[in-house]
Amino acid sequence: MNSTFKKELPIIGIVLLPFVYLAFIWNSLPDKVPTHWNQRGEIDHWGDKVSLIGIPFMLPVFIYVLLLVIPIIDPKKRIALMGGKYYQFKFILVLLMSLLALFIIYISKNQSFSSPNFIFILIGVLFIVLGNYFKVIQPNYFIGIRTPWTLENIEVWRSTHVFAGKLWFAGGFLIVLGALLFEAAFFGTVFISLVIVLALVPMAYSYIKFKKLEKKG
């Protein structure tokens, strides 16, 4: 067996988990299942149970295939320089997507969203994971803070990702903590505000850093 394929087997197993769970519960599912909930965890849309098959494809399968393809199509082959770190990154990201798919299928089966903050917790953990790996991501066109200024200057890329890594790690921790302490109806607005800050501040930082280097030059 090809060593590369053997290495991928644990991740492939994680990708398949939601499909296995869905097959196991399929006969016990009602014909109509909830497919969307509002901020209060109340069902506001229903669909055919067949629609649940798309959830594992949209989450762990899509992410896994995307992360397999990126190193191949990376024109400068910078992703490959991450080595084992990229495999760890792929493993954790696919695991989070698989857990999210399992959770969505589970609450659809039970027609109950007793813990809507679980979604916030998973997203917070995702920010923590990404923040932890930012410092090892080499300049590329696919992963990271890809602004015109980070892609133009390697020093801007590095300093932006060190800064963004710390910010996303702290922001992810705040999201997880907030989800554990507050009701979803209240925390939803706070969550959106935090995500906007985590997205925009690193972009602004990269611009400011680029301009400072430009003045020095």
Side-chain angles (χ1 to χ4, degrees):
M1 186 182 292
N2 185 283
S3 60
T4 302
F5 179 70
K6 285 176 67 176
K7 190 177 180 181
E8 294 296 319
L9 280 177
I11 304 181
I12 293 171
I14 291 170
V15 170
L16 294 177
L17 280 176
F19 291 101
V20 173
Y21 175 62
L22 188 56
F24 181 74
I25 65 169
W26 186 258
N27 290 332
S28 64
L29 287 170
D31 291 333
K32 294 293 181 183
V33 295
T35 56
H36 194 269
W37 292 259
N38 61 27
Q39 270 192 334
R40 295 182 178 85
E42 301 164 342
I43 301 168
D44 59 11
H45 193 273
W46 296 78
D48 193 281
K49 70 177 184 179
V50 175
S51 63
L52 294 179
I53 298 172
I55 292 170
F57 281 105
M58 289 187 295
L59 292 169
V61 172
F62 174 74
I63 292 298
Y64 179 58
V65 172
L66 181 66
L67 293 176
L68 275 181
V69 170
I70 283 175
I72 298 170
I73 63 175
D74 180 14
K76 296 186 178 180
K77 305 301 178 187
R78 294 287 181 85
I79 296 293
L81 296 177
M82 290 178 64
K85 290 289 184 182
Y86 186 73
Y87 178 84
Q88 294 170 17
F89 173 78
K90 181 168 59 177
F91 184 96
I92 296 172
L93 200 56
V94 170
L95 177 61
L96 288 173
M97 293 301 106
S98 192
L99 287 174
L100 182 56
L102 284 166
F103 179 70
I104 293 171
I105 295 168
Y106 173 79
I107 61 176
S108 294
K109 175 184 179 295
N110 291 278
Q111 300 187 6
S112 170
F113 200 0
S114 58
S115 208
N117 279 8
F118 182 76
I119 301 292
F120 295 140
I121 291 171
L122 275 182
I123 295 173
V125 171
L126 178 61
F127 273 112
I128 291 171
V129 170
L130 290 173
N132 188 54
Y133 280 92
F134 266 3
K135 60 180 178 288
V136 299
I137 297 175
Q138 298 295 320
N140 71 91
Y141 299 107
F142 306 102
I143 303 172
I145 311 298
R146 303 175 313 281
T147 67
W149 311 289
T150 56
L151 295 173
E152 177 70 22
N153 187 296
I154 192 168
E155 186 176 341
V156 175
W157 174 282
R158 286 172 178 164
S159 59
T160 297
H161 282 76
V162 169
F163 168 78
K166 294 174 181 176
L167 180 68
W168 280 33
F169 189 92
F173 180 77
L174 284 176
I175 290 172
V176 172
L177 187 62
L180 292 172
L181 294 177
F182 302 107
E183 293 292 328
F186 165 76
F187 186 65
T189 304
V190 177
F191 169 77
I192 292 170
S193 301
L194 280 171
V195 170
I196 291 172
V197 168
L198 294 177
L200 295 183
V201 170
M203 294 172 65
Y205 177 91
S206 69
Y207 173 77
I208 294 167
K209 183 69 177 179
F210 182 81
K211 287 299 180 182
K212 283 182 178 179
L213 291 174
E214 200 174 42
K215 286 179 182 179
K216 288 182 181 178

